[in-house]
Amino acid sequence: MTSEPELLPARIARPIAITPGDPCGIGPEIIARAWCCAPESTQGCFVAGDVALMRRAMALVQAVPTFPVCEIQTPAEAMHVPPRCLPVMQVVPEAPALPWGRVDARAGQLAGDAVLWATRAALRGEVAALVTAPLHKEALHAAGAPYNQYPGHTELLQAEAARHARVTVAQMPVRMMLANDELRTVLVSIHVSLREALEAITLERVLQTLRITDASLTSLLGRKPRIAVAGVNPHAGEGGLFGREEIEVLHPCLAIARQEGLDVHGPYAPDTVFMRARKRPDGRREFDVVIAMYHDQGLIPVKYLGVEQGVNVTLGLPLVRTSPDHGTAMDLAGKGLADASSMIQAIRMARQMVNFTD
């Protein structure tokens, strides 16, 4: 069993950039609310986006503004902004006030441009980490090239990081980790159909997932993580009765990983392994993370425990990137009702990860 300290805001040496996500969704609001509710976590952070957008979001959150929005010219200025002030760097063309809750190509363009600028700033070393508010995939695609090439944030960041490193996307493998205070899962595949996800369960891809997870969590935890691997089939195949992926792929993969010094266990029945990895009331957990074979297998248990506290972390990039574990919530946009808990946790996770890597 392992135990770990509570995740607390950490001091940072360089600023953290936060992108506003889709301006028609709840992204700008949860950022503004995070500044009001958790100023100790947002110190040293700034919004890379549109000043007018963030002023509109702050007005939505505060009837009587006590956290003014101030414009900064460089990321470094964010480290010296007075308390109770939200710094914003204008990194996109000034945008009109777009209607809340609508899918709009202009919103997709703004969201994509902000992410692209912040990613490049992180790759240049100007910012320590990137926290991305949710974007709307339909709006992003409606914006056209280059954003219609990517299913979402993860693939956009991966492509830009590969371009920066002058390697192919295949040479810049990334994985999604979804985490809250109780459970962490890492996915072998992300946004593909279930049929394609099953085809992606190969020895090479699973082993790559284990290596990325081990390296990333060693940095985050300060020690080697104890990794559990979920099976593909009911009862982890029951010795081949319900499928042979465990026998032909997972067992050989885990044997290689153990030879490389990874602390891996399984494959375990998918319907019980997540309970074994969940943090208990005494702070201990049997495993630090579960490797899930496909998107829904890994995300359902984390989201069931509470979307409000979940954080999406991209592993394998040459930069720190976290994001709230929810979408744009167009039905809530503009109503002043959005919950900023997941955004606050994403900022805290980024600070913690930066604290180990800087």
Side-chain angles (χ1 to χ4, degrees):
M1 296 274 182
T2 59
S3 61
E4 57 205 43
E6 183 183 356
L7 189 65
L8 298 173
R11 292 181 180 273
I12 53 174
R14 291 178 294 151
I16 291 175
I18 302 176
T19 55
D22 192 298
C24 298
I26 64 169
E29 178 188 343
I30 60 175
I31 294 171
R33 199 175 294 282
W35 247 265
C36 299
C37 298
E40 76 289 348
S41 296
T42 56
Q43 188 173 8
C45 302
F46 72 99
V47 177
D50 180 65
V51 175
L53 170 64
M54 292 313 303
R55 285 184 174 147
R56 183 167 78 138
M58 188 61 80
L60 184 67
V61 170
Q62 298 185 101
V64 180
T66 57
F67 278 76
V69 173
C70 63
E71 184 172 0
I72 59 174
Q73 302 302 317
T74 66
E77 290 180 43
M79 303 300 292
H80 309 290
V81 168
R84 304 182 69 82
C85 183
L86 193 165
V88 181
M89 186 170 171
Q90 187 77 39
V91 303
V92 298
E94 294 185 9
L98 299 173
W100 299 112
R102 301 273 184 88
V103 176
D104 193 306
R106 294 170 296 173
Q109 182 76 45
L110 187 153
D113 288 351
V115 171
L116 199 57
W117 182 93
T119 303
R120 290 171 177 171
L123 292 169
R124 291 192 299 265
E126 295 174 7
V127 301
L130 174 58
V131 180
T132 58
L135 52 74
H136 196 286
K137 293 179 175 62
E138 185 179 345
L140 188 70
H141 279 229
Y147 305 120
N148 57 2
Q149 303 173 38
Y150 309 112
H153 272 121
T154 302
E155 296 82 3
L156 174 58
L157 269 66
Q158 179 187 25
E160 193 60 28
R163 190 176 297 111
H164 179 82
R166 298 183 179 180
V167 299
T168 66
V169 170
Q171 293 172 309
M172 181 71 66
V174 299
R175 294 294 185 271
M176 176 192 290
M177 179 173 77
L178 203 63
N180 56 31
D181 188 51
E182 296 183 69
L183 181 64
R184 303 183 189 97
T185 66
V186 176
L187 310 180
V188 170
S189 61
I190 308 178
H191 298 120
V192 296
S193 71
L194 182 56
R195 188 180 303 277
E196 291 173 299
L198 292 174
E199 293 171 353
I201 301 169
T202 63
L203 188 148
E204 293 77 15
R205 188 171 181 86
V206 175
L207 185 58
Q208 190 178 66
T209 305
L210 290 170
R211 289 168 175 160
I212 291 171
T213 302
D214 178 74
S216 300
L217 285 189
T218 296
S219 296
L220 178 61
L221 300 175
R223 58 173 172 78
K224 297 286 281 187
R226 188 172 170 84
I227 302 172
V229 175
V232 181
N233 301 295
H235 303 183
E238 198 75 78
L241 291 175
F242 306 141
R244 297 190 58 81
E245 285 85 356
E246 288 78 11
I247 294 172
E248 296 174 0
V249 177
L250 297 187
H251 282 294
C253 179
L254 268 62
I256 295 172
R258 292 186 188 107
Q259 289 176 356
E260 295 180 1
L262 277 65
D263 188 5
V264 296
H265 304 266
Y268 295 118
D271 58 353
T272 58
V273 66
F274 298 99
M275 291 182 282
R276 296 175 62 180
R278 184 179 181 183
K279 187 164 77 172
R280 300 177 182 179
D282 63 1
R284 296 178 178 273
R285 58 176 100 214
E286 188 173 352
F287 303 108
D288 294 300
V289 62
V290 178
I291 305 299
M293 293 299 111
Y294 51 93
H295 185 280
D296 286 7
Q297 184 190 59
L299 267 56
I300 288 172
V302 179
K303 293 192 175 189
Y304 179 78
L305 292 174
V307 172
E308 298 81 6
Q309 299 296 325
V311 179
N312 179 350
V313 184
T314 305
L315 307 182
L317 290 171
L319 56 90
V320 172
R321 180 260 173 156
T322 67
S323 181
D325 172 30
H326 57 70
T328 52
M330 292 295 196
D331 57 323
L332 288 179
K335 299 178 181 178
L337 302 174
D339 189 334
S341 299
S342 186
M343 171 57 76
I344 293 169
Q345 290 300 107
I347 295 170
R348 288 178 173 173
M349 176 72 80
R351 297 181 76 100
Q352 194 76 8
M353 295 177 73
V354 166
N355 199 38
F356 278 107
T357 58
D358 252 19

